[in-house]
Amino acid sequence: MSRERIKRELPPVQEHIDKLRKVVEEGNYYGALQMYKSISARYVTAQRFSEALDILFSGACIELEHGLVNCGADLAILFVDTLVKAKSPCNDENLDRIRSMYKLFPRVPVPPHLVDVSDDEDVQNLQESLGEARSRVENLTSFLRAAIKWSAEFGGPSTGYPELHAMLADYLYTECPELDMVRISRHFVRAEDPEKFASMLINFMGRCYPGEDDLAIARAVLMYLSMGNMKDANFMMDEIKRQAETKNPELSESDLVQFVSYLLETLQRDALPLFNMLRVKYRSSIEREQLLSELLDEIAERFYGVQRKNPLQGMFGDIFKMMG
């Protein structure tokens, strides 16, 4: 059957949307999922991308509204895939739809009474709760990673639309059972919202293990600097110091925090020898995490033209890690 004939024979898209909504409301969630996929594929084949997007957006929202995260995420990802096939631009209309789908992903923190398990039933309930949380995070991450990549390819910044990074960072921080602060920070530094990032780090300082707070702060500031973003790096440091004066006064005595403070001052001038001296003096603190050394290598290259031995080793030189 020719593409032109398919175009002529396809009915108005609203008929499909209304029909499929009834299928979902009748409880046939997975049957509806397959119908959403097959029907939208027919519109894609006919290059009627706008109507395919209408079907997929409607389906993702309806499935998510009914708590079917796996089904909703599948359709949300397929929605982004169709944006790519259509070469649809990163504009307000498409971003609004992505925002709408994102807001429908559930936020279900682990119930407080499950944290202190005392018997086998509690353990089982906790394991189930954690498994569901991981699944939600994986689904949302797949969706937004695809959206970030699409935005970078079709009109957004080369690193992806900032708000999408902010959305992913926030969900990872609030919903992921095992916090990966490197991953979260990687998205926050691209979110162009240092105030929110600083608030998240201050919140993290109140719940992390001893010794993780200054490491998280140093990592965040160095990530900004590795991108050449002195403004947000300084804002981050000033905001955290301000709030730490009352909440965590001993933080300013950390060798790592002192190193970052001196580094920010050093980078404001042409002072490579002083930069190298700081790295030597605070080596033991820097070596607490390999990533810090990698970021400092990138900072040396960006600010002083020092070539890294392996230009691919840096986290920010790897496009796939950027999308992680």
Side-chain angles (χ1 to χ4, degrees), residues 94-142:
N94 290 325
L95 288 170
D96 280 344
R97 285 184 158 187
I98 290 172
R99 292 185 190 104
S100 296
M101 289 183 282
Y102 167 75
K103 291 176 182 178
L104 291 173
F105 277 81
R107 292 177 179 264
V108 188
V110 177
H113 68 278
L114 292 180
V115 175
D116 297 321
V117 295
S118 57
D119 57 36
D120 291 343
E121 184 177 355
D122 287 340
V123 171
Q124 183 177 353
N125 289 337
L126 177 59
Q127 289 175 339
E128 291 177 358
S129 181
L130 293 176
E132 291 171 358
R134 293 188 189 100
S135 178
R136 288 193 297 271
V137 170
E138 289 171 3
N139 278 303
L140 186 279
T141 299
S142 296

Side-chain angles (χ1 to χ4, degrees), residues 49-69:
F49 296 110
S50 177
E51 291 151 299
L53 289 168
D54 289 344
I55 293 170
L56 292 168
F57 173 68
S58 174
C61 291
I62 293 169
E63 296 276 16
L64 288 168
E65 287 169 357
H66 283 78
L68 274 295
V69 179

Side-chain angles (χ1 to χ4, degrees), residues 13-24 26 35-36 39:
V13 70
Q14 192 61 45
E15 292 183 13
H16 288 304
I17 291 174
D18 294 340
K19 176 182 176 181
L20 290 172
R21 176 181 289 276
K22 291 180 181 179
V23 175
V24 174
E26 290 170 358
M35 294 172 69
Y36 277 116
I39 293 172

Side-chain angles (χ1 to χ4, degrees), residues 50-276:
S50 177
E51 291 151 299
L53 289 168
D54 289 344
I55 293 170
L56 292 168
F57 173 68
S58 174
C61 291
I62 293 169
E63 296 276 16
L64 288 168
E65 287 169 357
H66 283 78
L68 274 295
V69 179
N70 290 341
C71 296
D74 278 354
L75 295 175
I77 294 168
L78 196 52
F79 175 89
V80 177
D81 289 344
T82 305
L83 288 177
V84 174
K85 290 177 182 177
K87 298 182 180 180
S88 190
C90 178
N91 58 23
D92 288 340
E93 179 183 358
N94 290 325
L95 288 170
D96 280 344
R97 285 184 158 187
I98 290 172
R99 292 185 190 104
S100 296
M101 289 183 282
Y102 167 75
K103 291 176 182 178
L104 291 173
F105 277 81
R107 292 177 179 264
V108 188
V110 177
H113 68 278
L114 292 180
V115 175
D116 297 321
V117 295
S118 57
D119 57 36
D120 291 343
E121 184 177 355
D122 287 340
V123 171
Q124 183 177 353
N125 289 337
L126 177 59
Q127 289 175 339
E128 291 177 358
S129 181
L130 293 176
E132 291 171 358
R134 293 188 189 100
S135 178
R136 288 193 297 271
V137 170
E138 289 171 3
N139 278 303
L140 186 279
T141 299
S142 296
F143 164 49
L144 285 185
R145 282 179 62 187
I148 289 169
K149 185 176 180 181
W150 156 77
S151 70
E153 293 178 358
F154 294 97
S158 60
T159 55
Y161 194 71
E163 186 183 353
L164 300 178
H165 283 289
M167 288 155 57
L168 180 51
D170 182 69
Y171 200 89
L172 288 172
Y173 183 70
T174 59
E175 302 302 310
C176 192
E178 299 90 9
L179 286 182
D180 182 346
M181 291 304 295
V182 172
R183 188 182 183 192
I184 292 167
S185 298
R186 187 184 301 149
H187 287 289
F188 255 127
V189 296
R190 289 180 170 81
E192 297 182 0
D193 191 351
E195 186 172 356
K196 185 173 183 178
F197 190 11
S199 297
M200 184 275 291
L201 283 177
I202 291 163
N203 176 273
F204 176 71
M205 288 161 54
R207 56 188 283 195
C208 66
Y209 292 109
E212 289 186 339
D213 48 3
D214 61 343
L215 193 57
I217 293 165
R219 187 190 301 122
V221 174
L222 294 188
M223 282 183 177
Y224 274 128
L225 292 174
S226 73
M227 299 169 67
N229 190 344
M230 280 283 291
K231 178 183 177 181
D232 289 345
N234 277 291
F235 175 89
M236 173 72 68
M237 201 65 189
D238 292 343
E239 184 67 14
I240 287 175
K241 281 184 175 180
R242 184 183 67 80
Q243 297 205 33
E245 287 180 1
T246 55
K247 298 180 180 179
N248 191 5
E250 66 273 13
L251 184 66
S252 61
E253 300 175 5
S254 160
D255 285 347
L256 198 52
V257 170
Q258 290 180 6
F259 164 71
V260 172
S261 297
Y262 292 140
L263 177 65
L264 287 168
E265 296 177 8
T266 301
L267 293 177
Q268 295 179 25
R269 51 191 173 177
D270 187 9
L272 178 59
L274 181 55
F275 175 86
N276 290 332

